[in-house]
Amino acid sequence: MKRFKVSIVIIEEKKRKERGETLFIVELLFVAIILFLIYSILPTLFIRLSSLRIVKKGVGEKKISLTFDDGPHPQYTKNLLDLLKRHNVKATFFIVGEHALKHPHLLRRMVIEGHEIGIHHYKHKSGWFLTPGKLKKELKMCQEAIEHITGREVRYYRPPWGHFNICTLALAKTYQIIMWSVILQDWKIEKGESTLSKRLIEGLCDGHIYLLHDNGSTFGAEEQAPRIMIEQLSLFLDEMHKRNFTCVSLQDLIVGKKHYRIGH
């Protein structure tokens, strides 16, 4: 009987210990979630909703700007540059540094043909999951890659997925942060094939900044999606010209904006 009681005490003690460990894990998870919200989610919401130190839209009657993220891609970026050249359109490319080092000739071509180049991190990593030190390194390495290849100073920055953390504005204070007015999920083939050109046309409005993608190899994207985007963009550019809209550089579109800055 005595042994039985001892066994019960041991079992109950074990259960209490397990409950205590479970509660500790839950508390740790709760603290981690709160810290993540404070570090990443809340700054992103605040910055994007308040437009603090970011540009979402430019100025100018019948003027828009095209921007492309995640490149360069050896085939799609080349095809895109061919299309823009045929239509005499200037655009801005937000470059992933490691891709730039693999395809430097495409960046040099961008510069020669009058396009602008901005930072989109050295690797396509969300700022939500980067420490301040790692975010600083992503910016620095991407800037150095672009400037080494092109010989041009970098003035624009767009964080991947539009994700900010609590340190982003401080670490990116020397850049003009560019967001967008129009985003169309062109990284999905289905979205591109069905209605992309129509939705591009519907987005025509004075000062709008379009966000498109010339590389489908990033997380969440589909490899062939840029091919569809380029096909649909060609239709859009034809219609854009008919409606007397002009694609201009970001510099021309956002001059006069409150947070516009040139140089470092």
Side-chain angles (χ1 to χ4, degrees), residues 41-98:
I41 306 297
L42 293 180
T44 296
L45 290 174
F46 177 74
I47 292 167
R48 290 175 61 168
L49 290 174
S50 68
S51 295
L52 177 65
R53 272 213 43 223
I54 64 174
V55 171
K56 298 179 182 177
K57 186 179 179 181
V59 293
E61 185 177 356
K62 292 283 186 176
K63 293 180 180 179
I64 64 167
S65 194
L66 294 176
T67 67
F68 300 92
D69 286 7
D70 302 351
H73 183 279
Q75 187 59 51
Y76 297 133
T77 303
K78 174 187 174 300
N79 293 348
L80 176 58
L81 287 168
D82 291 343
L83 173 65
L84 297 176
K85 187 174 182 179
R86 287 199 300 273
H87 285 268
N88 193 29
V89 164
K90 308 306 177 189
T92 303
F93 292 82
F94 287 92
I95 294 298
V96 175
E98 65 176 351

Side-chain angles (χ1 to χ4, degrees), residues 252-263:
D252 290 338
L253 194 73
I254 67 177
V255 165
K257 294 288 288 184
K258 181 179 179 182
H259 301 299
Y260 176 72
R261 56 179 66 186
I262 286 185

Side-chain angles (χ1 to χ4, degrees), residues 17 26 29 71 89 107 154 161 187 226 239:
K17 186 178 179 181
V26 170
L29 286 173
V89 164
L107 270 71
V154 181
W161 294 290
W187 57 87
E239 184 63 27

Side-chain angles (χ1 to χ4, degrees), residues 8 19 38 40 51 64 68 72 98 105 110 115 133-134 182 207 224 233 239 248 263-264:
I8 291 175
R19 284 196 296 269
I38 293 171
S40 299
S51 295
I64 64 167
F68 300 92
E98 65 176 351
H105 63 288
M110 290 172 191
H115 304 294
K134 288 184 177 179
V182 182
Q224 296 296 315
L233 181 63
E239 184 63 27
V248 299
H264 291 207

Side-chain angles (χ1 to χ4, degrees), residues 122-172:
Y122 184 77
K123 293 180 179 290
H124 198 277
K125 293 181 177 180
S126 167
W128 285 359
F129 307 103
L130 295 174
T131 64
K134 288 184 177 179
L135 175 57
K136 184 178 181 180
K137 185 176 180 181
E138 287 286 326
L139 293 169
K140 184 174 184 289
M141 289 179 67
C142 190
Q143 177 181 341
E144 288 175 348
I146 294 170
E147 293 182 348
H148 173 73
I149 293 167
T150 66
R152 299 283 184 89
E153 185 180 54
V154 181
R155 68 174 63 149
Y156 301 124
Y157 167 51
R158 176 181 286 154
W161 294 290
H163 290 176
F164 296 84
N165 67 45
I166 202 167
C167 299
T168 301
L169 294 185
L171 293 174

Side-chain angles (χ1 to χ4, degrees), residues 129-249:
F129 307 103
L130 295 174
T131 64
K134 288 184 177 179
L135 175 57
K136 184 178 181 180
K137 185 176 180 181
E138 287 286 326
L139 293 169
K140 184 174 184 289
M141 289 179 67
C142 190
Q143 177 181 341
E144 288 175 348
I146 294 170
E147 293 182 348
H148 173 73
I149 293 167
T150 66
R152 299 283 184 89
E153 185 180 54
V154 181
R155 68 174 63 149
Y156 301 124
Y157 167 51
R158 176 181 286 154
W161 294 290
H163 290 176
F164 296 84
N165 67 45
I166 202 167
C167 299
T168 301
L169 294 185
L171 293 174
K173 63 184 178 181
T174 56
Y175 311 114
Q176 175 63 70
I177 300 174
I178 306 294
M179 299 303 278
W180 55 82
S181 318
V182 182
I183 185 169
L184 300 165
Q185 293 184 294
D186 63 300
W187 57 87
K188 294 293 185 184
I189 291 175
E190 182 183 359
K191 295 287 185 179
E193 284 182 322
S194 54
T195 62
L196 182 58
S197 63
K198 179 175 179 290
R199 289 180 291 126
L200 283 164
I201 293 166
E202 289 172 349
L204 276 173
C205 183
D206 295 349
H208 268 188
I209 298 171
Y210 282 79
L211 167 56
L212 297 164
H213 299 80
D214 57 329
N215 189 348
S217 65
T218 54
F219 178 77
E222 297 180 19
E223 186 66 40
Q224 296 296 315
R227 176 180 60 81
I228 305 299
M229 180 276 292
I230 293 168
E231 293 172 358
Q232 297 292 303
L233 181 63
S234 179
L235 300 174
F236 165 71
L237 291 175
D238 289 335
E239 184 63 27
M240 181 198 74
H241 292 310
K242 290 177 184 177
R243 298 191 184 197
N244 296 317
F245 272 83
T246 305
C247 275
V248 299
S249 69

